[in-house]
Structures are given as structure tokens and as C-alpha cells.
Amino acid sequence: MSGKVYNQVRDYATIVLGLFLYAFGVAAFLIPAKIIGGGITGVATVIYFTTGIETGYTYFIINIFLVLAAIKILGTSFGVKTIFGMAVMAVFLNVLQSIFTHPIIDDQFLSAVLGGILGGAGLGIVFNRGGSTGGTDIIAMIINKYRNVSPGRIIMYCDVIIIASSFFVLKSVEGMVYGYVSMWVVSYTVDSFLNGAKQSVQMFIFSERYDDIADYIVYQANRGLTVFDGTGWYTRKHVKVIMTVVRKREASPIYKQIKQIDPDAFISQNSVMGVFGHGFDQIKY
């Protein structure tokens, strides 16, 4: 039980860190530079520049309506982490917006890029821990129930419309373009963060001491493997070939150990697009 409590506390603490980075990117770089990004934070920013109401309030109110609609249409499938993320994000937006009233960098393009990087990194951390900020994710799930349209495409359409509306509020083509720059940077950063954390490599290892290497990978690196029979065509010798798939971050210690066991080992490594099964990702298709 104590282990479960520790994991829960660690997850929520990590989500709070991610939400802070996201809110910091929006409140410290985008809003002071008059750049409107995507998502419900973008809608809240449009309302802020129109009425002066702080973004945290409108962000939270809009999300509450979306959650209520989702519960009615999709059922009570929303976890506590979504509600928690919405509330914490709203608080961070209001607090940080009151602190950063002037642009940190007097350059809209750099503000768009830095705000997008921080926002994307923050969202990546939140998503990696199973959290959510609600917003256009909820809209995507509602539409996806009735129409066979991918959630990613729905979110993109929403963001395009939200950022385009900034032109009618700020009367600035540059601001709108920088909003799209920020949207692209956020998307790229989120994908890079999530894919980097899950990236795996496939290794083929040729060695006369294959049994020692296999024992290390199985019993110390805690990864499975398969040993094939092979024939070196030049030498006509029978060899054993180890095939294993590991996370990219796990490859370096394996290389060091192989070098200690057999410095003459021959290794081939390839990046793989996806790995599904025990110890990796779940099959969702």
C-alpha cells in the first residue's frame, strides 16, 4: 500500500511540474508578447485581450462546462487527474500572469518558440504521467464518439480556428503567424518528448561468449531475448546470434558490459518504430 501511495504522490507531483512549465510558457512568453496559442488557454487568452478577465478564470470555467458535457455524453470516464490538472493549471495561469506583466524577451518570434518549447515539454510531462489538461482533448473525444475523425485532427482544427480568431482581436497578422509557430513548436515538442521516452532499439549480438552476454541481459538488465543459430559464410563457422529489444536509455549499460565480456563481439543496432508486449507498450489497435 505504501508503494502505491508513493507512486500516486510522485505522479501528481510530476504532473504539477508539467503544468507549471506549460503555464509558465503561456503566461511568461506568449501572453506578454500578445501571441495567442491553441487550446482552451488560447480561448482564455482571446477573452483576456477582449475583456481583461484573467485567463485562469475563463480557462477553468470553460473546462468545467466541457467536463459536464463529457460526463453526460461519454459517461463518468474522466479520472481525478483531469479535474486536478484543470484546477492546478487555472491557479498557475492566474498567479504567473500577475507576475509577468511585461515580455521577458522583446522579440515575438523567440517568445513564440520559447513559449512553445516550455508548453510542449510541460504537456509531455503531464501526458507521460497519465494526466490531462482537459480542453480540446474533451471536444475531440465527444466528436469522435459520433464521427469517425481522429482526435488529433479535431484538436488541430480547433487550434487553427482559435489562433485565427486572434486576428479579429489583436488586428495583427504577425501575431497570428507567431501563434501558428507556437502551435507547431508545442506539437513537435510533445511528440519528441513522448517518443523519446518510449524509443526502443533492436540489437543483434554476435559473440562466442553469447551465453554470458545473454545471462547479463536477462538477469541483470531484465530484458528478454532470443538466441538464433547462424552460419558465418566467410568462415563457414556456426555461430549464435542474440536478438533483443530494449529501451534506448538501456542500451549504453549493455554495451559496456558486452565490452567487458567480449571486446571482439559484433553488434548491430536499429531503431524501431514501436514495440508492443510485456515490458513495453500495450496493443491499442
Side-chain angles (χ1 to χ4, degrees), residues 17-29:
L17 172 63
L19 292 170
F20 176 81
L21 288 176
Y22 181 33
F24 183 74
V26 173
F29 289 96

